[in-house]
Coordinates of all heavy atoms in Angstrom, one line a residue:
Q1727 N 87.3 -168.0 -62.0 CA 87.1 -167.3 -60.7 C 87.5 -165.9 -60.9 O 88.5 -165.5 -61.5 CB 87.9 -168.0 -59.6 CG 87.6 -167.5 -58.2 CD 88.5 -168.2 -57.2 OE1 89.7 -168.0 -57.1 NE2 87.9 -169.2 -56.5
E1728 N 86.8 -165.0 -60.2 CA 87.1 -163.5 -60.3 C 88.3 -163.2 -59.4 O 88.4 -163.6 -58.2 CB 85.9 -162.7 -59.8 CG 86.2 -161.2 -60.0 CD 85.1 -160.3 -59.6 OE1 84.1 -160.1 -60.4 OE2 85.0 -159.8 -58.4
R1729 N 89.3 -162.6 -60.0 CA 90.5 -162.1 -59.2 C 90.7 -160.6 -59.5 O 90.1 -160.1 -60.4 CB 91.7 -162.9 -59.7 CG 91.7 -164.4 -59.4 CD 91.8 -164.7 -57.9 NE 91.7 -166.1 -57.7 CZ 92.7 -167.0 -57.6 NH1 93.9 -166.5 -57.7 NH2 92.5 -168.2 -57.3
I1730 N 91.5 -160.0 -58.7 CA 91.8 -158.6 -58.8 C 93.1 -158.4 -59.5 O 94.1 -158.9 -59.1 CB 91.8 -157.9 -57.4 CG1 90.4 -158.1 -56.7 CG2 92.0 -156.4 -57.6 CD1 89.2 -157.6 -57.5
G1731 N 93.1 -157.6 -60.6 CA 94.3 -157.4 -61.4 C 94.9 -156.0 -61.1 O 94.8 -155.4 -60.0
D1733 N 95.8 -152.2 -60.8 CA 95.0 -151.1 -60.5 C 93.6 -151.4 -59.9 O 92.7 -150.7 -60.0 CB 94.8 -150.2 -61.7 CG 96.2 -149.6 -62.2 OD1 97.1 -149.4 -61.4 OD2 96.3 -149.5 -63.5
G1734 N 93.5 -152.7 -59.4 CA 92.3 -153.1 -58.7 C 91.2 -153.5 -59.6 O 90.0 -153.6 -59.2
K1735 N 91.5 -153.7 -60.9 CA 90.4 -154.1 -61.9 C 90.2 -155.6 -61.8 O 91.1 -156.4 -61.9 CB 90.9 -153.7 -63.3 CG 91.0 -152.2 -63.5 CD 91.5 -151.9 -64.9 CE 91.6 -150.4 -65.1 NZ 92.1 -150.0 -66.5
P1736 N 88.9 -156.0 -61.7 CA 88.6 -157.5 -61.6 C 88.7 -158.1 -63.0 O 88.4 -157.5 -64.0 CB 87.2 -157.5 -61.0 CG 86.6 -156.2 -61.4 CD 87.7 -155.2 -61.5
P1754 N 84.1 -168.3 -49.7 CA 85.5 -168.4 -50.1 C 86.3 -169.0 -49.0 O 86.3 -168.6 -47.8 CB 85.9 -166.9 -50.2 CG 84.6 -166.2 -50.4 CD 83.6 -167.0 -49.7
P1798 N 97.5 -163.1 -58.4 CA 96.3 -162.3 -58.1 C 95.5 -163.0 -57.0 O 95.5 -164.2 -56.9 CB 95.6 -162.3 -59.4 CG 96.0 -163.6 -60.1 CD 97.4 -163.8 -59.7
E1799 N 94.8 -162.2 -56.3 CA 93.9 -162.7 -55.2 C 92.5 -162.3 -55.4 O 92.2 -161.4 -56.2 CB 94.4 -162.3 -53.8 CG 95.8 -162.9 -53.4 CD 95.7 -164.4 -53.2 OE1 94.6 -164.9 -53.1 OE2 96.7 -165.0 -53.1
R1800 N 91.6 -162.9 -54.6 CA 90.2 -162.4 -54.6 C 90.0 -161.2 -53.7 O 90.8 -161.1 -52.7 CB 89.3 -163.6 -54.1 CG 89.1 -164.6 -55.2 CD 88.3 -165.8 -54.7 NE 89.1 -166.8 -54.0 CZ 88.7 -167.9 -53.5 NH1 87.4 -168.2 -53.6 NH2 89.5 -168.7 -52.9
Q1801 N 89.1 -160.4 -54.0 CA 88.9 -159.2 -53.1 C 88.6 -159.5 -51.7 O 89.1 -158.8 -50.8 CB 87.7 -158.4 -53.7 CG 87.5 -157.0 -53.1 CD 88.7 -156.1 -53.4 OE1 89.0 -155.8 -54.5 NE2 89.3 -155.5 -52.4
F1802 N 87.9 -160.6 -51.5 CA 87.6 -161.1 -50.1 C 88.9 -161.2 -49.3 O 88.9 -160.8 -48.1 CB 86.8 -162.4 -50.2 CG 86.5 -163.0 -48.8 CD1 85.4 -162.5 -48.1 CD2 87.3 -164.0 -48.3 CE1 85.1 -163.1 -46.8 CE2 87.0 -164.6 -47.1 CZ 85.9 -164.1 -46.3
F1803 N 89.9 -161.8 -49.9 CA 91.2 -162.0 -49.1 C 92.1 -160.8 -49.2 O 92.8 -160.6 -48.2 CB 91.9 -163.2 -49.7 CG 91.2 -164.5 -49.5 CD1 90.7 -165.2 -50.6 CD2 90.9 -165.0 -48.2 CE1 90.0 -166.4 -50.4 CE2 90.3 -166.2 -48.0 CZ 89.8 -166.9 -49.1
I1804 N 92.0 -160.0 -50.2 CA 92.8 -158.8 -50.3 C 92.4 -157.9 -49.1 O 93.3 -157.3 -48.5 CB 92.6 -158.1 -51.7 CG1 93.3 -158.9 -52.8 CG2 93.1 -156.7 -51.6 CD1 93.0 -158.3 -54.2
D1805 N 91.1 -157.7 -48.9 CA 90.7 -156.9 -47.8 C 91.3 -157.3 -46.4 O 91.7 -156.5 -45.6 CB 89.1 -156.9 -47.7 CG 88.5 -156.2 -48.9 OD1 89.2 -155.4 -49.5 OD2 87.3 -156.5 -49.1
Q1806 N 91.4 -158.6 -46.2 CA 92.0 -159.2 -45.0 C 93.5 -158.9 -45.0 O 94.1 -158.6 -43.9 CB 91.7 -160.7 -44.9 CG 90.2 -161.0 -44.7 CD 89.9 -162.5 -44.6 OE1 90.5 -163.1 -43.7 NE2 89.1 -163.0 -45.5
I1807 N 94.1 -159.1 -46.1 CA 95.6 -158.9 -46.2 C 96.0 -157.5 -45.9 O 96.9 -157.2 -45.1 CB 96.2 -159.4 -47.5 CG1 95.9 -160.9 -47.7 CG2 97.7 -159.1 -47.6 CD1 96.3 -161.4 -49.1
V1808 N 95.3 -156.6 -46.6 CA 95.6 -155.1 -46.4 C 95.4 -154.7 -45.0 O 96.2 -153.8 -44.5 CB 94.7 -154.3 -47.3 CG1 94.8 -152.8 -47.0 CG2 95.1 -154.6 -48.8
Y1814 N 100.6 -154.5 -49.2 CA 100.1 -155.3 -50.3 C 99.6 -154.4 -51.5 O 99.7 -154.8 -52.6 CB 99.0 -156.2 -49.8 CG 98.4 -157.1 -50.9 CD1 99.0 -158.3 -51.3 CD2 97.3 -156.7 -51.7 CE1 98.5 -159.1 -52.3 CE2 96.8 -157.5 -52.7 CZ 97.4 -158.7 -53.0 OH 96.8 -159.5 -54.0
R1815 N 99.1 -153.2 -51.2 CA 98.6 -152.3 -52.2 C 99.6 -152.1 -53.3 O 99.2 -151.8 -54.5 CB 98.1 -151.0 -51.6 CG 96.9 -151.1 -50.7 CD 96.4 -149.8 -50.4 NE 95.2 -149.8 -49.4 CZ 95.4 -149.7 -48.1 NH1 96.6 -149.5 -47.6 NH2 94.3 -149.8 -47.3
L1818 N 99.4 -154.1 -56.5 CA 98.4 -153.8 -57.4 C 98.8 -152.9 -58.5 O 98.1 -152.6 -59.4 CB 97.1 -153.3 -56.7 CG 96.5 -154.3 -55.7 CD1 95.3 -153.6 -55.0 CD2 96.0 -155.6 -56.4
M1841 N 99.5 -166.3 -46.4 CA 99.3 -165.3 -47.5 C 100.3 -164.1 -47.2 O 100.9 -163.6 -48.2 CB 97.9 -164.9 -47.6 CG 96.9 -165.9 -48.1 SD 95.2 -165.4 -48.2 CE 95.3 -164.6 -49.9

Side-chain angles (χ1 to χ4, degrees):
Q1727 187 180 75
E1728 184 180 276
R1729 297 289 176 96
I1730 303 301
D1733 298 324
K1735 296 178 180 178
E1799 292 293 346
R1800 285 176 275 182
Q1801 189 65 55
F1802 177 82
F1803 294 115
I1804 289 176
D1805 293 339
Q1806 296 181 55
I1807 297 172
V1808 169
Y1814 179 85
R1815 292 191 183 94
L1818 297 178
M1841 293 179 82

